[in-house]
Structures are given as C-alpha cells and as structure tokens.
Amino acid sequence: MYHTLYIVPKKLKNQWKFELRSKFEIDAVDYAKAMPDDCDVLMDLGQVKNLGSLALLSDFDLVIVDETHNILSDAALYSRIKTISRSVKNILLLSATPISSRQQEYMKLLSLLDPDRYTNLSPERFNELVLQQRDLEQQMYNLLSDIQDFGDFSESIIEQLAEIAESIGDEQLVKKVRAIDPHSDDAG
C-alpha cells in the first residue's frame, strides 16, 4: 500500500480534499483524524509547524507540498519541510510562482528536493550551475532540431551529446552516449 501526505496551505485544504476526491477518487483524511493505515492524508502548513515530532511523517512514501514558495519566508516552517524532505523517499514541491530568476529562492527550493546537494552549495557555485543549465538547454534545443535528420548528421549529433555529457560530469549519460551505434538496426 502506498502512503501519500499532502501538505497544503490551510485555506486550500478543502479544495485539495474536493479535487482529490472528484478527479482521482482519493479520499484524503485530515491528519488530525488519520489512522496509521490511512493511505492519503491531508495536513496544512500550520499543522506541520506545530507538530511535536516529525518522525511519524517518515512513514509516507510520497509527500506533496503545495504553494512551496510560501514557506521560503518562514524559517521554522522551511526547516520542518527540509527535515521531512530528508526523511522521505519521494517529495514533490508545487509552486505556480516562477522563481528561476531569483537565485536565492530557487536554491532554497532545490535544497528541499535534494538537501545533501544544495544546502552547503555556495551562491557563486549555484549561479554557475544555473548558467550551465541554461547553456545545456540551448544545446539540447539545437540538437533536437537536428534529430529529424539523425541519419545524415549522426556522427555530429553523437559528438555534441558526448560533449554535453562530459561538460556536466554525468557518467551515466557519458556511458549511454558511448553506447550509441548509429549503424545498428535502430540507428542507435
């Protein structure tokens, strides 16, 4: 059985309950009334903030946090969500507010997704990674436009993929690119 915890702003709790029920046939139970065998549990941000121990929350397979951008200005709540993030296998952070141009907020949100990687990252290094990501996006966009003519440009495309893989230091991607055989039946 899969257990999901939905952490949402209090004002959206009823809407989440309704949407889960009407669209997905999920009957989420309020955390205050939840039993250990309940699979889908709704908790508002205030409940997270006031909860004595977060240890109980580690039993969930997935935690979904809505309106994540709102927790950035509340240090105590941010810390609690980060603790939850470290203790669960899967976490999904939802926010409709674009923040990719606001580097510090962006890094704080990524720290919730992968605390070990981003918590101690310097702002300078993070900015470098963001610039690399933008460059990578542009390179991938250019490659995708060439992919329709793969047969004609396979060597060039494979070479560009190898350069991208090596530039980001992704050993798994490097191995996959090296394994591409444009002369095989599936063209690689």
Side-chain angles (χ1 to χ4, degrees):
M1 214 175 273
Y2 204 79
H3 292 84
T4 304
L5 174 65
Y6 305 87
I7 300 175
V8 303
K10 189 172 187 170
K11 65 183 179 189
L12 297 178
K13 204 170 182 181
N14 287 333
Q15 180 181 346
W16 265 87
K17 188 170 182 68
F18 174 77
E19 299 286 341
L20 288 170
R21 177 68 187 128
S22 65
K23 293 182 179 170
F24 304 105
E25 297 183 14
I26 293 174
D27 289 314
V29 177
D30 187 287
Y31 182 79
K33 299 175 184 173
M35 302 301 287
D37 60 338
D38 286 326
C39 292
D40 296 281
V41 177
L42 263 171
M43 178 180 237
D44 67 61
L45 294 170
Q47 289 173 302
V48 171
K49 200 171 180 179
N50 296 322
L51 193 62
S53 171
L54 298 176
L56 297 172
L57 302 183
S58 64
D59 292 337
F60 287 95
D61 301 296
L62 171 65
V63 174
I64 298 174
V65 183
D66 191 21
E67 299 288 328
T68 309
H69 58 278
N70 288 332
I71 68 170
L72 296 177
S73 61
D74 185 329
L77 186 55
Y78 178 84
S79 176
R80 296 203 127 225
I81 297 293
K82 194 171 192 178
T83 299
I84 292 168
S85 176
R86 287 183 188 276
S87 68
V88 297
K89 185 175 180 182
N90 302 292
I91 188 163
L92 176 63
L93 305 176
L94 304 175
S95 177
T97 302
I99 57 135
S100 61
S101 62
R102 298 190 312 257
Q103 302 293 347
Q104 189 173 3
E105 292 177 30
Y106 190 27
M107 190 165 86
K108 282 182 78 173
L109 286 177
L110 288 173
S111 291
L112 294 174
L113 286 174
D114 192 347
D116 295 333
R117 180 171 186 188
Y118 293 103
T119 297
N120 296 318
L121 196 64
S122 72
E124 295 79 18
R125 178 65 183 134
F126 182 74
N127 288 336
E128 288 174 22
L129 289 174
V130 169
L131 291 174
Q132 284 179 335
Q133 177 187 359
R134 289 183 183 146
D135 185 46
L136 179 62
E137 286 172 7
Q138 185 60 49
Q139 290 178 46
M140 292 303 293
Y141 176 79
N142 293 340
L143 274 176
L144 287 175
S145 64
D146 292 340
I147 206 77
Q148 293 175 1
D149 301 318
F150 181 75
D152 297 333
F153 301 105
S154 61
E155 299 299 325
S156 172
I157 291 171
I158 293 169
E159 185 178 307
Q160 289 176 49
L161 281 172
E163 288 173 13
I164 290 169
E166 289 174 17
S167 74
I168 62 174
D170 187 331
E171 289 302 316
Q172 294 294 336
L173 183 57
V174 168
K175 288 178 187 176
K176 289 184 186 297
V177 171
R178 286 184 183 149
I180 295 173
D181 179 5
H183 305 295
S184 66
D185 291 339
D186 68 355

